[in-house]
Amino acid sequence: IRLAAILVLGRFVLLTLVGVIAQSERWNLPSGALLETILSSCQIEHTQRSGVDGEHLICPTRIADHRFPATLRDAVVASEDARFFSHGALDLRSTIRATWHFLNGKREGGSTITQQLAGSLLLRNEYSLRRKLLEAVLAVRIFSLLTPQEILARYLNAVPHARNMSGFDEPARHYFGVGVEDLNLAETAILVGMLPEPNARDPL
């Protein structure tokens, strides 16, 4: 009973802290109309591979929600954030677990799909406690602007994939020669299975 009470108190403190920070203007993070514009606009990501500079276009609203197959949406949620439609912007259970592992020198993902969307569009690619906190703040702000379905659609358009590709349409065309709406079950499984380490799991 004592452990359960501590966990409940920890969740309450964490949620309150993130909520207060999310409302603060001192963090130099986009909010309101600016954040909504960023979440709906194409962005240019600068890349460098083998000493060659390149540019990559990320468009979070390029493909509408209804064009993503239900099997793809279900597989991504099951793989990346099983409680996505029930926990809100943050999954406090996973956040506390991931924080505990971080403090003990272990690396474990605890980010929701909303946090991953925030991180891939708005933050540098680094692993630190500060980035996780900023990710959580942005996730709370994003969740206040968009529905879960809109968040998932933007994630499916913008999630980092292998070979500097983003989303699922580009990898679908690269690996299988079809648009995302024409992926079959096996092709969907391969692309979703790559997400934790896209380049390390490149089937080619």
Side-chain angles (χ1 to χ4, degrees), residues 104-135:
N104 285 282
K106 299 177 182 178
R107 183 168 180 169
E108 179 181 313
S111 297
T112 64
I113 284 175
T114 311
Q115 287 174 267
Q116 291 182 54
L117 176 65
S120 61
L121 290 179
L122 297 157
L123 298 174
R124 293 179 181 174
N125 186 18
E126 61 182 20
Y127 189 73
S128 67
L129 204 54
R130 179 180 182 277
R131 185 187 192 274
K132 286 293 181 185
L133 181 57
L134 295 179
E135 198 179 77

Side-chain angles (χ1 to χ4, degrees), residues 42 59-69 72 149-150 152-158 166-173 178-181:
C42 293
C59 297
T61 56
R62 186 166 69 91
I63 296 175
D65 173 64
H66 68 272
R67 287 184 55 198
F68 291 107
L72 174 61
Q149 289 75 17
E150 290 172 329
L152 180 58
R154 282 162 173 75
Y155 178 82
L156 294 173
N157 272 298
S166 298
F168 280 90
D169 188 62
E170 196 175 1
R173 295 179 187 280
V178 298
V180 69
E181 62 269 31

Side-chain angles (χ1 to χ4, degrees), residues 15-194:
L15 187 60
T16 301
L17 175 63
V18 172
V20 169
I21 294 172
Q23 300 302 320
S24 172
E25 298 298 325
R26 299 180 59 188
W27 283 74
N28 195 29
L29 294 172
S31 61
L34 175 58
L35 179 56
E36 195 165 7
T37 299
I38 292 171
L39 293 168
S40 302
S41 303
C42 293
Q43 302 172 48
I44 296 176
E45 181 183 59
H46 298 281
T47 59
Q48 188 177 67
R49 294 187 67 185
S50 303
V52 179
D53 293 327
E55 291 184 342
H56 185 69
L57 199 62
I58 302 175
C59 297
T61 56
R62 186 166 69 91
I63 296 175
D65 173 64
H66 68 272
R67 287 184 55 198
F68 291 107
T71 51
L72 174 61
R73 283 178 277 152
D74 292 344
V76 167
V77 170
S79 171
E80 298 298 296
D81 187 358
R83 293 187 296 275
F84 173 67
F85 289 104
S86 63
H87 58 52
L90 308 174
D91 183 347
L92 298 182
R93 188 191 314 172
S94 296
T95 301
I96 291 171
R97 185 181 65 246
T99 302
W100 174 257
H101 283 293
F102 179 88
L103 294 174
N104 285 282
K106 299 177 182 178
R107 183 168 180 169
E108 179 181 313
S111 297
T112 64
I113 284 175
T114 311
Q115 287 174 267
Q116 291 182 54
L117 176 65
S120 61
L121 290 179
L122 297 157
L123 298 174
R124 293 179 181 174
N125 186 18
E126 61 182 20
Y127 189 73
S128 67
L129 204 54
R130 179 180 182 277
R131 185 187 192 274
K132 286 293 181 185
L133 181 57
L134 295 179
E135 198 179 77
V137 170
L138 286 167
V140 171
R141 292 183 178 182
I142 289 171
F143 202 81
S144 70
L145 294 172
L146 304 175
T147 66
Q149 289 75 17
E150 290 172 329
I151 291 169
L152 180 58
R154 282 162 173 75
Y155 178 82
L156 294 173
N157 272 298
V159 61
H161 220 287
R163 302 179 182 232
N164 288 329
M165 294 183 284
S166 298
F168 280 90
D169 188 62
E170 196 175 1
R173 295 179 187 280
H174 177 79
Y175 291 111
F176 307 116
V178 298
V180 69
E181 62 269 31
D182 295 319
L183 285 170
N184 64 34
L185 184 60
E187 293 163 348
T188 297
I190 290 173
L191 293 183
V192 174
M194 292 170 66

